């Protein structure tokens, strides 16, 4: 797999460390009533067979946190943006 | 027909042309008491023990591909019971005991070979951890021996003992561990289940699960709707997708794990050996090929094939342990899809839907567990409650804080 890093250009997969699905949203409170939300955030995953957006750290390159969109069934990579841009776009949508 | 020396002699007179197929190819009936989704090792073992231990009839196993086309044929065939936690060790030891009598039990040669599993340690701290694990194993009645460097050297003189970065300090040996012919396990369980009346239906993909009033009533398949009273899901690798059919989200991710076979060599490595400083494990098959593997690739995947960086990584670890491996050519590599659960331990449990049972989350340790997994899943389905051996493998343990995390690493889907 080749990942198009927004800073470094197209780089091989071994330069990246994957954190996993970028869909779960971290709860903003520690209130005991948010236990269910924390449980879902920490443990439950959609685990899609097909397109996924996932966090990847360019640990062997510019060390930026990215969000890579990729197909888990075919390993086709659609693109990558910085995690910052991803979360800004997510906020704009919400 | 039972396989024995008399049936072999009898069939040799007719040129081995009259052997019956080992299992039937039945047309699905409209209704079954119990349906198991997934005709891999765990699914077939479950059907076998449901019929044999619980005397149940009217059972079907639905397999979307061909029998044993998943991880039962994609692993490195290692069996062991060298776990530490109380919720794990008795389960895996029960699996080992079932392995030890498996061939007599299902009358099929699965080539169970207890050639020993040796885990190498490379630091004093790792040796301490192995001593602790070995003691935990022995408390549960499992065999474990802590070997020093000289004892390991006597067994395997060709390892790199002078490696400056990863010197071999000793190892933890489980002599009863070993390897099994993995396809033989699927075929043996299939034949055993079939002879007890279980319908094994291949090329029958479950497309949906029908639930009415909180109770399972049947499955939609590419061969029509099939009614059932109880439904067991044993679709490891694809568990999240199967669970989505009833709106469940599972605490796991699917990842690809690669394995490799080398060209055939003369007898070289007697047992199973694991490298303690990187992720590498190797044994030699009866055909002479070295069978080895390493870590998961590290990204979510359903692709059943990995990428080259992990191939390089595994072989580097192997050569660090056994320098002479550098001259060996790799023949084949392949990938299997693992249910990577969030604590590295599996799930065998009921669900919130009546009549729906889940067997999932085996990470990349499912092969050794095949007999006990089937045995416990059959018990859970037949009695509608977990056996004490799988009581810790609850689906709700992540919510209640009763994780089974062998290494104490916290919630991450890269454990085993």
């Amino acid at each position: 797999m080749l990942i198009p890093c927004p800073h470094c250009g197209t780089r091989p997969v071994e330069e990246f460390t994957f954190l996993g699905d970028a869909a779960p949203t971290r709860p903003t409170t520690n209130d005991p009533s948010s236990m269910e939300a924390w449980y879902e955030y920490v443990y439950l995953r959609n685990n899609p067979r097909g397109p996924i957006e996932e966090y990847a750290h360019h640990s062997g390159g510019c060390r930026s946190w990215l969000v890579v969109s990729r197909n888990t069934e075919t390993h086709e990579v659609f693109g990558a943006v910085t995690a910052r841009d991803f979360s800004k776009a997510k906020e704009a949508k919400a | 027909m039972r396989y024995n020396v008399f049936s072999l002699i009898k069939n040799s007179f007719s040129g081995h042309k009259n052997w019956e197929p080992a299992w039937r190819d039945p047309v699905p009936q409209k209704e079954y008491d119990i349906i198991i989704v997934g005709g891999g090792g765990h699914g077939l073992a479950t059907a076998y023990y449901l019929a044999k231990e619980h005397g149940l009839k009217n059972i079907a196993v639905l397999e979307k591909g061909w029998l044993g086309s998943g991880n039962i044929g994609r692993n490195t065939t290692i069996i062991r019971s060298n776990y530490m936690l109380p919720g794990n060790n008795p389960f895996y030891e029960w699996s080992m005991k079932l392995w030890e009598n498996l061939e007599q039990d299902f009358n099929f040669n699965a080539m169970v070979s207890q050639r020993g599993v040796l885990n190498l340690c490379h630091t004093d701290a790792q040796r301490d951890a192995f001593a602790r694990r070995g003691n935990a194993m022995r408390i549960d009645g499992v065999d474990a021996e802590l070997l020093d460097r000289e004892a390991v050297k006597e067994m395997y003189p060709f390892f790199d003992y002078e490696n400056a970065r990863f010197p071999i300090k000793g190892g933890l040996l489980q002599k009863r561990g070993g390897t099994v012919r993995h396809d033989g396990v699927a075929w043996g369980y299939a034949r055993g289940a079939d002879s007890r009346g279980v319908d094994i239906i291949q090329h029958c993909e479950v497309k949906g699960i029908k639930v009415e009033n909180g109770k399972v009533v049947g499955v939609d398949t590419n061969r029509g709707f099939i009614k059932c009273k109880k439904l067991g899901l044993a679709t490891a690798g694809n568990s999240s997708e199967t669970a989505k059919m009833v709106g469940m989200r599972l605490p796991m991710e699917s990842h690809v794990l690669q394995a490799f076979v080398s060209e055939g060599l003369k007898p070289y490595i007697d047992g199973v050996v694991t490298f303690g400083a990187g992720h590498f494990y190797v044994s030699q098959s009866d055909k002479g090929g070295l069978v080895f593997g390493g870590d998961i690739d590290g990204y979510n995947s359903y692709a059943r094939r990995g990428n080259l960086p992990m191939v390089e990584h595994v072989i580097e670890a192997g050569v660090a342990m056994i320098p002479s491996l550098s001259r060996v050519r790799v023949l084949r590599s392949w990938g299997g899809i693992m249910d990577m659960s969030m604590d590295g331990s599996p799930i065998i449990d009921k669900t919130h839907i009546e009549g729906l049972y889940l067997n999932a989350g085996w990470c990349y340790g499912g092969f050794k567990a095949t007999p006990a997994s089937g045995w416990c899943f059959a018990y859970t389905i037949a009695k509608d409650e977990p056996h004490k051996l799988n009581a810790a493998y609850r689906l709700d343990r992540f919510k209640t804080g009763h994780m089974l995390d062998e290494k104490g690493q916290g919630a991450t889907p890269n454990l085993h």
Side-chain angles (χ1 to χ4, degrees), chain A residues 47 49, chain B residues 233-245 248-250 252 254 302 337-339 358-362:
Chain A
N47 195 17
R49 184 184 186 117
Chain B
L233 306 177
T235 57
N238 220 21
S239 298
S240 296
E241 291 293 312
T242 321
K244 273 175 203 165
M245 294 174 187
M248 279 169 71
R249 290 171 81 210
L250 299 181
M252 61 184 67
S254 296
Y302 283 90
I337 301 306
M338 314 288 127
D339 279 358
L358 181 67
N359 180 326
W362 289 98

Side-chain angles (χ1 to χ4, degrees), chain B residues 32-351:
Chain B
Y32 289 96
D33 289 343
I34 302 172
I35 290 178
I36 306 296
V37 184
H42 292 220
L44 293 166
T46 305
Y48 174 75
Y49 290 116
L50 277 169
K52 179 175 172 273
E53 300 291 330
H54 304 281
L56 296 169
K57 306 271 179 228
N58 204 15
I59 302 165
V61 177
L62 308 183
E63 166 56 46
K64 75 173 172 184
W66 65 93
L67 190 152
S69 55
N71 292 332
I72 187 73
R74 289 173 174 266
N75 52 71
T76 46
T77 78
I78 298 166
I79 60 168
R80 56 185 173 88
S81 56
N82 52 0
Y83 284 71
M84 192 167 76
L85 296 179
N88 267 335
N89 226 359
F91 173 85
Y92 285 103
E93 177 56 14
W94 177 233
S95 207
M96 183 59 77
K97 291 207 170 95
L98 291 171
W99 282 120
E100 285 172 333
N101 287 310
L102 188 66
E103 293 159 315
Q104 292 74 14
D105 189 55
F106 64 25
N107 182 232
F108 197 88
N109 184 8
M111 294 163 69
V112 176
S113 166
Q114 293 181 291
R115 52 183 73 182
V117 172
L118 175 67
N119 303 129
L120 298 178
C121 61
H122 306 269
T123 62
D124 291 342
Q126 200 173 20
R127 184 170 46 204
D128 290 348
F130 277 11
R132 182 180 174 218
R133 178 141 60 102
N135 285 334
M137 288 160 66
R138 290 171 79 135
I139 285 170
D140 280 317
V142 185
D143 65 310
E145 281 173 54
L146 193 64
L147 304 183
D148 62 11
R149 184 175 179 273
E150 296 313 311
V152 175
K153 206 168 182 176
E154 201 162 299
M155 290 174 76
Y156 297 102
F158 48 85
F159 289 172
D160 186 3
Y161 293 89
E162 308 309 325
N163 189 314
R165 180 70 183 82
F166 306 119
I168 293 169
K169 298 259 181 179
L172 185 65
L173 175 68
Q174 186 186 13
K175 281 190 176 159
R176 286 162 64 241
T179 61
V180 182
R181 167 98 168 88
H182 52 193
D183 299 313
V185 177
W187 299 335
Y189 275 124
R191 181 169 164 274
D194 178 86
S195 68
R196 287 171 174 81
V198 173
D199 281 359
I200 299 166
I201 302 158
Q202 304 179 62
H203 306 291
C204 181
E205 182 175 1
V206 172
K207 305 272 194 187
I209 298 169
K210 200 167 177 196
V211 178
E212 277 175 9
N213 303 322
K215 196 176 179 323
V216 162
V217 292
V219 287
D220 281 313
T221 75
N222 58 350
R223 295 172 73 170
F225 181 73
I226 307 175
K227 277 174 78 174
C228 68
K229 296 189 181 101
K230 289 180 173 179
L231 184 66
L233 306 177
T235 57
N238 220 21
S239 298
S240 296
E241 291 293 312
T242 321
K244 273 175 203 165
M245 294 174 187
V246 287
M248 279 169 71
R249 290 171 81 210
L250 299 181
M252 61 184 67
E253 294 182 359
S254 296
H255 285 252
V256 60
L257 177 72
Q258 301 190 64
F260 310 85
V261 170
S262 80
E263 60 189 325
L265 302 169
K266 288 193 171 180
Y268 176 44
I269 295 175
D270 296 336
V272 179
V273 193
T274 74
F275 187 44
H279 216 131
F280 179 79
Y281 35 91
V282 62
S283 65
Q284 188 166 17
S285 79
D286 294 318
K287 282 193 286 187
L290 300 180
V291 183
F292 57 97
D295 211 341
I296 52 175
D297 268 39
Y299 44 80
N300 293 50
S301 175
Y302 283 90
R304 282 188 175 186
R305 63 174 189 280
N307 273 288
L308 285 172
M310 186 48 75
V311 177
E312 188 179 17
H313 180 81
V314 167
I315 290 169
E316 276 172 357
V319 172
M321 181 171 110
I322 314 173
S324 54
L325 276 191
S326 64
R327 298 295 184 94
V328 175
R329 277 166 293 204
V330 174
L331 275 193
R332 290 188 292 127
S333 75
W334 62 94
I337 301 306
M338 314 288 127
D339 279 358
M340 299 305 295
S341 71
M342 286 294 185
D343 63 355
S345 297
I347 294 158
I348 305 177
D349 201 2
K350 299 160 66 172
T351 65

Side-chain angles (χ1 to χ4, degrees), chain A residues 1 13-14 18 20-21 36 39-40 42-50 52 54 70 72-75, chain B residues 64 238 240-241 244 249-254 298-303 305 307 309 342 398-399 403 411:
Chain A
M1 290 195 297
V13 68
E14 66 259 44
F18 289 84
D21 200 342
E36 186 71 28
Y39 163 66
E40 290 189 10
V42 175
Y43 295 110
L44 298 189
R45 294 291 178 269
N46 294 331
N47 195 17
R49 184 184 186 117
I52 189 173
E54 63 195 339
R70 194 171 57 86
T72 60
E73 199 168 7
T74 62
H75 289 176
Chain B
K64 75 173 172 184
N238 220 21
S240 296
E241 291 293 312
K244 273 175 203 165
R249 290 171 81 210
L250 299 181
M252 61 184 67
E253 294 182 359
S254 296
Y299 44 80
N300 293 50
S301 175
Y302 283 90
R305 63 174 189 280
N307 273 288
M342 286 294 185
F398 301 92
K399 193 178 259 185
M403 271 73 75

